Amino acid sequence: MNILIYGLPTSGKTTFAEKLVDKVGIKNLRHVNADKVREAFGDWQFTKEARQRQALRMAGIGRLNEADGFDTIVDFVCPFNVYREMPQWDITIYVNTIDESPYEDTNKAFEEPKKEPTYTITDWEQVDDIVEEVAYKLLNQEEE
C-alpha cells in the first residue's frame, strides 16, 4: 500500500507520518521523507521542474518499495494535483492545518486539491482518529 501525505511546509506532514509509523511499526513499512530524498540527491532547487522531478522521485521510491513487498508512507509538499492523483496512491492525506507556509514560492505553486483526498486533516484533534483508521487499513490489508 502506498500512502501520500501532502500539504504546505510546516503543516505537520512528517509529524503525522511519524505517529502513523509508531502506531503500525516498521516491519513491512517504509517512511520516505522529502527532505531526506532531496538531501540524498543533492537537489534543493524549487523551480517548477525541480518540484516535478521531486514528485517523480517520491512516486518512484513508493513503487520500488511496493515491488519489494513494503508499504510506503511518503510525506512531501506535492504541490501539483497531477502527482497527487497518480493511481499508485492507495490513500491520500491532505494536511491542511495552515493557511500559508513560510515560503512564498511554495504558497504560490501549491494547488488546492481537485480530487477529494481520502482524509483531510484541518485540526490536530482529528489526528489520533485518522492515525487509527489508516493503521487499521495497513495492518488488515489481507482481510480487505
Side-chain angles (χ1 to χ4, degrees), residues 75-95:
D75 85 83
F76 75 116
V77 172
C78 198
F80 307 122
N81 281 306
V82 66
Y83 300 106
R84 299 174 194 152
E85 296 171 4
M86 295 174 81
Q88 82 177 65
W89 306 120
D90 300 299
I91 295 174
T92 56
I93 301 168
Y94 177 26
V95 183

Side-chain angles (χ1 to χ4, degrees), residues 3-23:
I3 299 171
L4 168 63
I5 302 171
Y6 69 94
L8 288 170
T10 73
S11 62
K13 299 175 300 294
T14 302
T15 300
F16 179 86
E18 289 169 348
K19 283 180 165 281
L20 185 54
V21 169
D22 286 346
K23 181 70 179 178

Side-chain angles (χ1 to χ4, degrees), residues 7-13 51 77 97-110:
L8 288 170
T10 73
S11 62
K13 299 175 300 294
R51 292 174 191 278
V77 172
T97 58
I98 59 173
D99 292 328
E100 61 181 37
S101 80
Y103 309 103
E104 191 56 36
D105 62 325
T106 302
N107 296 334
K108 288 179 183 177
F110 193 86

Side-chain angles (χ1 to χ4, degrees), residues 16 119 124-136:
F16 179 86
Y119 299 96
W124 281 98
E125 291 180 13
Q126 301 171 281
V127 168
D128 289 339
D129 289 340
I130 294 173
V131 164
E132 288 290 331
E133 285 184 41
V134 177
Y136 180 84

Side-chain angles (χ1 to χ4, degrees), residues 59-79:
I61 292 168
R63 284 192 300 272
L64 282 170
N65 287 341
E66 187 174 41
D68 285 340
F70 291 93
D71 294 316
T72 303
I73 298 170
V74 169
D75 85 83
F76 75 116
V77 172
C78 198

Side-chain angles (χ1 to χ4, degrees), residues 23-26 37 60 97 99 116-117 139:
K23 181 70 179 178
V24 174
I26 59 170
V37 172
T97 58
D99 292 328
E116 185 74 21
L139 294 168

